[in-house]
C-alpha cells in the first residue's frame, strides 16, 4: 500500500469514513496515526503521543509488542483462519483452557466471539435458552443497572443506560428491560442495604419473567466511569440466587487486571453464572471476545428443544486472534502485573489530586489503572482534544469525563506527563 499525502488522506477520511459516535461527513478533530510503539502513538505529522487510553482499554502491554508480533507471525505460518464448525485447533483449545484457569472456578465452558457486543448477545441468548431448556420459556427479560454500558448491538443496547443509549430513537426495535437505580455507594463507602433496594424490588416482582441480571461489576465504564461498592455485587449474587435468576457479569472493560484484581468480581468474592471478556484479551492486537459459563448451564442444552446452542459466527475462534490472546495472557502472568497496576493507582491518586481544587471539577476518582476527573459541565471535544495532542498526550474524554486507562507498561515520567496535562487542560476550563 502506497501512502497518500496527508492532506488527501484527511480529506478522504472526512468525506468517506465514518468514525465511532461521529457525524458524516466528519466534523470533530481526527488525527492520523502512522505507527505505534510501546506507550507511544506516532502521528503522520511526526509527533509522538503518550497513550493514556490503551486504545479503549485494550492495549495493556503497549503497541507493537515483540512477543505478540511473534505469536501472530508464527500462527500466520500455519493458518490465519479456518472455520470452527466441525474443526478445532491448538490456539482456540489452549486459550479456552487458559481462560477457564484464570476465571472463577465454576466457569468451565468458553464460547468465542468477535467483539464485546457479540459476547454480550451470546450471554443473553445463553440465559434465555437455558430457561427454555428448563421448561421456563417465559423468562426472556433482563434486569440491569442505570448508567451501564454493554455494547452497540440490539440486545446489548437494550441493557445500556436508556438515556445515554438514546433508547427512544430505537423504541420499536428494542426489547424493554428492567432498570434498577445505579449503585450510589462508592467503592470504599460504608454499605447500606438501601443501595440495592430497587434491584431487589424488581426481582421480587418480576423474577418469573427475568432470565438474568446483567451488569459491570464494581466499575461502570462507558456509561459514566463510576466505581461502586463490591458489596452491591455480593448482594446481587445472593438476590439472584434467591429469586432464581442468573447472574451475568460483563468484565469486558474490567477484566485482565485493570481494576487491580484479575477480574473485578474478585473484589466481591463471587462467581457469576456467565461472564463476558474482550478488550484486553488480545492485548489490543485484534478483536476477540469470549463468553464463559458454568457446567450447570451448559448441561441443560442437550435436553432442550434445539439440542444445541443457537449461535455460531463465521470467524468464531479465529486462530490468529486466539494465538495472540494466549501469548498476551502468558505475558500477563509472566510479571507482577498487580504491583504495576498498584503503582499506577498510587501515582494517579497523587497526580490527579490537585485537580480537586479546580473550579471546573466535580470529582476525582481512581481505581486500579483507571483515573477519572469528572467535570461539572461537558467538555468541548473540538477544543480539548487538540490541546491534549499539542501537549503530546492521547486522551479521549466524553461528556463530563476526562479519564485515563494507560497501558500497564507505562513509566512514571510518562504517566506524570498525562496527569500534568489533564491538570493544565482542566485548569484552562472556566
Ligand atoms: N461491555 C463493556 C463493559 C464495554 O465497555 C464495551 C465496550 N466499551 C462493550 C461491552 C462492547 O464491546 P465492543 O465495543 O468490543 O463491542
Amino acid at each position: 500500500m502506497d501512502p497518500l499525502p496527508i492532506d488527501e488522506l484527511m480529506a478522504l477520511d472526512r468525506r468517506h469514513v465514518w468514525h465511532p459516535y461521529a457525524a458524516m461527513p466528519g466534523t470533530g478533530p481526527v488525527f492520523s496515526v502512522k505507527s505505534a510503539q510501546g506507550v507511544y502513538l506516532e502521528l503522520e505529522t511526526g509527533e509522538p503521543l503518550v497513550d493514556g487510553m490503551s486504545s479503549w482499554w485494550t492495549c495493556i502491554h503497549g503497541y507493537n509488542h515483540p512477543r505478540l508480533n511473534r505469536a501472530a507471525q508464527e500462527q500466520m505460518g500455519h493458518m490465519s483462519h479456518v472455520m470452527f464448525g466441525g474443526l478445532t485447533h491448538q490456539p482456540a483449545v489452549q486459550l479456552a483452557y487458559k481462560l477457564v484457569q484464570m476465571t472463577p472456578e465454576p466457569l468451565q465452558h468458553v464460547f468465542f466471539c468477535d467483539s464485546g457486543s457479540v459476547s454480550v448477545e451470546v450471554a443473553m441468548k445463553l440465559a434465555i435458552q437455558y430457561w427454555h431448556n428448563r421448561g421456563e420459556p417465559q423468562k426472556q427479560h433482563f434486569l440491569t443497572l442505570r448508567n451501564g454500558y454493554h455494547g452497540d448491538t440490539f440486545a446489548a443496547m437494550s441493557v445500556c443506560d436508556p438515556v445515554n443509549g438514546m433508547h427512544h430513537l430505537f423504541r420499536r426495535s428494542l426489547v424493554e428491560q428492567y432498570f434498577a437505580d445505579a449503585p450510589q455507594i462508592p467503592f470504599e463507602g460504608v454499605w447500606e442495604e438501601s443501595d440495592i433496594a430497587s434491584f431487589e424490588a424488581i426481582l421480587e416482582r418480576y423474577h418469573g419473567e427475568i432470565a438474568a441480571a446483567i451488569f459491570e461489576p464494581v466499575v461502570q465504564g462507558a456509561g459514566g466511569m463510576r466505581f461502586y461498592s463490591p458489596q452491591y455485587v455480593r448482594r446481587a449474587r445472593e438476590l439472584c440466587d434467591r429469586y432464581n435468576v442468573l447472574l451475568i457479569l460483563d468484565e469486558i472493560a474490567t477484566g485482565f487486571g485493570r481494576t487491580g484484581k484479575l477480574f473485578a468480581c474478585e473484589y466481591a468474592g463471587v462467581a457469576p453464572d456467565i461472564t463476558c471478556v474482550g478488550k484486553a484479551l488480545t492485548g489490543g492486537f485484534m478483536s476477540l471476545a469470549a463468553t464463559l459459563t458454568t457446567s450447570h448451564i451448559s448441561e441443560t442444552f442437550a435436553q432442550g428443544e434445539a439440542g444445541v446452542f443457537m449461535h455460531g459466527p463465521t470467524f468464531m475462534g479465529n486462530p490468529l486472534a486466539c494465538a495472540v490472546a494466549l501469548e498476551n495472557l502468558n505475558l500477563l502472568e509472566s510479571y507482577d502485573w498487580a504491583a504495576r497496576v498498584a503503582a499506577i493507582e498510587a501515582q494517579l491518586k497523587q497526580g490527579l489530586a490537585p485537580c480537586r481544587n479546580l473550579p471546573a471539577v466535580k470529582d476525582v476518582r481512581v481505581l486500579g489503572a483507571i483515573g477519572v476527573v469528572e467535570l461539572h459541565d461537558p467538555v468541548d471535544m473540538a477544543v480539548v482534544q487538540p490541546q491534549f495532542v499539542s501537549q503530546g498526550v492521547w486522551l479521549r474524554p466524553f461528556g463530563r469525563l476526562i479519564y485515563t486507562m494507560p497501558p500497564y507498561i507505562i513509566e512514571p515520567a510518562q504517566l506524570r506527563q498525562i496527569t500534568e496535562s489533564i491538570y493544565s487542560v482542566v485548569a484552562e476550563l472556566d
Side-chain angles (χ1 to χ4, degrees):
M1 182 188 62
D2 294 327
L4 295 171
I6 182 75
D7 291 350
E8 194 182 335
L9 183 82
M10 297 315 284
L12 285 175
D13 182 87
R14 240 165 238 288
R15 203 170 330 133
H16 296 296
V17 183
W18 217 313
H19 284 264
Y21 293 96
M24 193 80 250
T27 48
V30 171
F31 304 86
S32 178
V33 185
K34 188 166 152 205
S35 66
Q37 177 71 45
V39 296
Y40 288 99
L41 307 178
E42 191 199 333
L43 299 186
E44 290 273 359
T45 43
E47 303 111 282
L49 304 180
V50 180
D51 175 28
M53 296 300 294
S54 298
S55 281
W56 279 337
W57 319 63
T58 64
C59 205
I60 56 177
H61 295 123
Y63 300 90
N64 220 346
H65 197 289
R67 276 183 62 174
L68 303 190
N69 288 353
R70 210 175 310 122
Q73 276 151 5
E74 269 177 27
Q75 185 53 42
M76 276 192 282
H78 300 296
M79 62 197 168
S80 61
H81 184 63
V82 64
M83 65 185 280
F84 211 47
L87 297 174
T88 195
H89 44 77
Q90 293 278 348
V93 177
Q94 292 195 36
L95 177 61
Y97 187 52
K98 171 69 71 188
L99 286 170
V100 166
Q101 286 176 313
M102 288 177 110
T103 51
E105 214 277 322
L107 300 167
Q108 290 293 318
H109 305 271
V110 181
F111 192 99
F112 288 115
C113 328
D114 331 30
S115 70
S117 301
V118 174
S119 80
V120 169
E121 301 279 328
V122 165
M124 294 172 77
K125 283 177 75 171
L126 272 173
I128 290 174
Q129 227 188 303
Y130 164 79
W131 288 112
H132 217 284
N133 297 342
R134 294 203 39 190
E136 298 203 51
Q138 75 289 355
K139 282 166 88 72
Q140 300 242 347
H141 281 87
F142 291 85
L143 165 58
T144 187
L145 309 182
R146 288 187 185 273
N147 281 105
Y149 178 82
H150 298 283
D152 289 345
T153 51
F154 273 89
M157 202 169 38
S158 77
V159 288
C160 291
D161 184 274
V163 179
N164 294 342
M166 295 218 166
H167 279 197
H168 64 278
L169 293 181
F170 310 99
R171 196 176 301 132
R172 281 168 182 270
S173 308
L174 276 183
V175 176
E176 277 187 39
Q177 311 289 13
Y178 295 103
F179 286 87
D181 296 340
Q184 297 300 322
I185 297 182
F187 180 73
E188 285 179 326
V190 179
W191 175 248
E192 286 172 36
E193 198 56 21
S194 57
D195 210 34
I196 201 159
S198 82
F199 187 96
E200 182 166 11
I202 292 169
L203 278 182
E204 195 176 7
R205 186 138 182 225
Y206 300 108
H207 62 93
E209 55 187 80
I210 295 177
I214 174 169
F215 57 88
E216 302 148 277
V218 178
V219 175
Q220 291 190 299
M225 304 301 294
R226 304 170 81 251
F227 310 149
Y228 65 94
S229 171
Q231 184 64 18
Y232 191 102
V233 183
R234 209 170 295 136
R235 289 288 294 120
R237 172 76 272 183
E238 287 166 12
L239 290 167
C240 285
D241 288 343
R242 184 182 328 149
Y243 287 104
N244 226 9
V245 157
L246 298 177
L247 176 61
I248 302 171
L249 292 181
D250 177 347
E251 296 257 16
I252 291 164
T254 49
F256 307 109
R258 178 59 64 180
T259 67
K261 298 280 188 197
L262 198 51
F263 295 96
C265 64
E266 293 170 25
Y267 278 114
V270 301
D273 300 297
I274 300 173
T275 202
C276 301
V277 295
K279 287 196 183 273
L281 178 55
T282 65
F285 197 97
M286 59 199 296
S287 183
L288 182 70
T291 311
L292 283 88
T293 191
T294 63
S295 305
H296 171 77
I297 291 178
S298 313
E299 278 161 5
T300 63
F301 280 73
Q303 313 113 44
E305 181 189 336
V308 295
F309 177 47
M310 293 302 294
H311 206 94
T314 305
F315 281 94
M316 183 172 181
N318 172 257
L320 195 52
C322 289
V324 174
L326 181 63
E327 185 64 1
N328 177 54
L329 300 186
N330 286 334
L331 181 57
L332 186 64
E333 286 180 337
S334 70
Y335 67 98
D336 190 353
W337 61 265
R340 282 212 79 111
V341 170
I344 292 171
E345 179 180 79
Q347 193 182 337
L348 283 174
K349 280 184 174 161
Q350 193 216 351
L352 294 178
C355 293
R356 283 182 209 282
N357 304 323
L358 297 172
V361 173
K362 184 173 173 207
D363 188 32
V364 174
R365 46 189 183 265
V366 174
L367 180 67
I370 315 169
V372 184
V373 176
E374 182 176 344
L375 308 174
H376 293 291
D377 300 308
V379 286
D380 183 348
M381 286 289 281
V383 175
V384 163
Q385 186 93 79
Q387 283 175 335
F388 282 122
V389 169
S390 72
Q391 297 186 13
V393 164
W394 179 246
L395 292 170
R396 179 90 180 148
F398 69 93
R400 294 184 290 106
L401 299 164
I402 295 180
Y403 69 103
T404 180
M405 302 118 11
Y408 303 166
I409 57 159
I410 197 162
E411 294 295 335
Q414 297 159 340
L415 191 54
R416 198 169 316 116
Q417 197 181 336
I418 291 174
T419 54
E420 286 178 358
S421 171
I422 292 177
Y423 181 87
S424 75
V425 167
V426 175
E428 289 295 308
L429 302 170
D430 38 54

